[in-house]
Amino acid sequence: MAKDKDYIQLINTTRWKQLRKSILDAYPLCQRCQQEGRLTAAQEVHHIRPVEEAITYADKMQRMYDAHNLQALCHDCHVKTHTEQGRCGREATKKRNEKQVEQVIKKFFDEGEDEDRGPVF
């Protein structure tokens, strides 16, 4: 499970629980298994674009509640998907954290710089 405090807060809201239920009601079978020719009950809802990788809380909320960013999966496919995306284990967490630091720097510190004159205020 994600360790991002915003994600943990959002995943425990009534709004998320209702959206999760509506996705599982709409897609009772694992979407990945279906694509691979198997019929398996979906038990989990996967965020295609990870919520924890968004920088601002508003961006995290948008990803959390965007039905087009969700996929109904069985547990095995959910684990497989995260593993394939490199989102499991300490090394993946370290890389994710480094990438997020780079995104924050780019978003908040690189935007106003002019190569010749330095920061623009």
Side-chain angles (χ1 to χ4, degrees):
M1 179 168 197
K3 294 173 178 67
D4 181 273
K5 67 179 177 65
D6 293 332
Y7 178 85
I8 292 169
Q9 179 186 8
L10 292 167
I11 205 82
N12 287 299
T13 62
T14 300
R15 181 178 176 188
W16 165 251
K17 291 173 185 176
Q18 289 171 345
L19 178 58
R20 180 185 183 282
K21 183 182 180 324
S22 72
I23 294 296
L24 291 173
D25 287 346
Y27 302 96
L29 298 175
C30 173
Q31 293 176 285
R32 181 170 171 165
C33 282
Q34 281 186 297
Q35 290 173 346
E36 297 172 2
R38 295 185 309 274
L39 297 178
T40 310
Q43 303 133 331
E44 301 178 13
V45 177
H46 171 69
H47 289 90
I48 299 163
R49 292 181 63 220
V51 174
E52 313 91 85
E53 290 181 3
I55 296 171
T56 66
Y57 189 78
D59 290 341
K60 290 177 185 183
M61 281 187 63
Q62 190 280 326
R63 287 187 187 188
M64 175 64 75
Y65 302 122
D66 179 4
H68 299 291
N69 189 40
L70 302 174
Q71 186 176 32
L73 299 174
C74 66
H75 177 74
D76 289 345
C77 284
H78 199 188
V79 170
K80 216 182 299 183
T81 299
H82 278 261
T83 301
E84 290 169 356
Q85 292 176 339
R87 297 186 41 77
C88 294
R90 288 183 180 162
E91 197 59 38
T93 300
K94 182 180 175 182
K95 287 180 183 177
R96 225 178 13 259
N97 289 343
E98 289 170 355
K99 182 179 177 182
Q100 191 167 27
V101 167
E102 289 173 15
Q103 289 175 327
V104 168
I105 290 169
K106 184 176 181 180
K107 181 171 181 130
F108 295 106
F109 299 105
D110 286 350
E111 288 181 340
E113 290 194 15
D114 181 348
E115 288 182 25
D116 297 327
R117 294 181 290 152
V120 176
F121 296 99

